[in-house]
Amino acid sequence: MSSRKSSFDELVYEAVCRIEYGRVSTYGRIAEQCGSPRAARAVGMALHRNPRPGEIPCHRVVNRMGRLAPGFAFGGPDEQRKLLEKEGVEVSREGYVDLSKYLGKGRV
């Protein structure tokens, strides 16, 4: 892995760690914060490689529509829902979070 890639991944992990408990952010907002506004997919790949699941709260990242990851890497598709609901985030039956209610404040 190149140092550029690992540097981007570390920026992603730092940004994700700043998402408040009970809040979510989007792949695109994380990419913007990392200085690569068109790198939402790269954010998703970095989160898929999360070296510290349980410490880096990748379950708090959803797509631009508020949809949960269809194949959440750490425990299957229902695990992201469970982790968010444990934090008080409501998830619809269809697997969406209301971004107008749960999108974190600030830069992420």
Side-chain angles (χ1 to χ4, degrees):
M1 182 182 297
S2 75
S3 62
R4 183 187 183 314
K5 188 63 166 178
S6 66
S7 295
F8 180 79
D9 286 8
E10 285 305 316
L11 289 173
V12 169
Y13 304 144
E14 289 169 15
V16 171
C17 285
R18 287 192 295 271
I19 303 168
E20 304 96 346
Y21 183 92
R23 298 287 182 184
V24 298
S25 189
T26 66
Y27 298 103
R29 288 182 85 190
I30 298 295
E32 286 175 17
Q33 183 175 357
C34 294
S36 299
R38 298 183 54 86
R41 262 184 211 220
V43 169
M45 293 305 295
L47 294 178
H48 190 74
R49 293 187 294 268
N50 181 349
R52 301 182 308 273
E55 181 183 335
I56 300 169
C58 57
H59 66 280
R60 295 182 186 152
V61 183
V62 297
N63 79 8
R64 64 187 176 89
M65 303 297 290
R67 184 170 184 246
L68 304 186
F72 185 65
F74 303 99
D78 291 326
E79 189 63 19
Q80 185 177 18
R81 173 189 297 272
K82 289 177 191 173
L83 290 168
L84 287 171
E85 288 177 342
K86 184 177 178 182
E87 294 185 13
V89 176
E90 297 172 25
V91 180
S92 73
R93 276 179 42 183
E94 297 80 20
Y96 288 85
V97 171
D98 181 349
L99 294 178
S100 68
K101 184 173 181 181
Y102 294 106
L103 190 61
K105 307 293 183 230
R107 295 185 62 198
V108 278

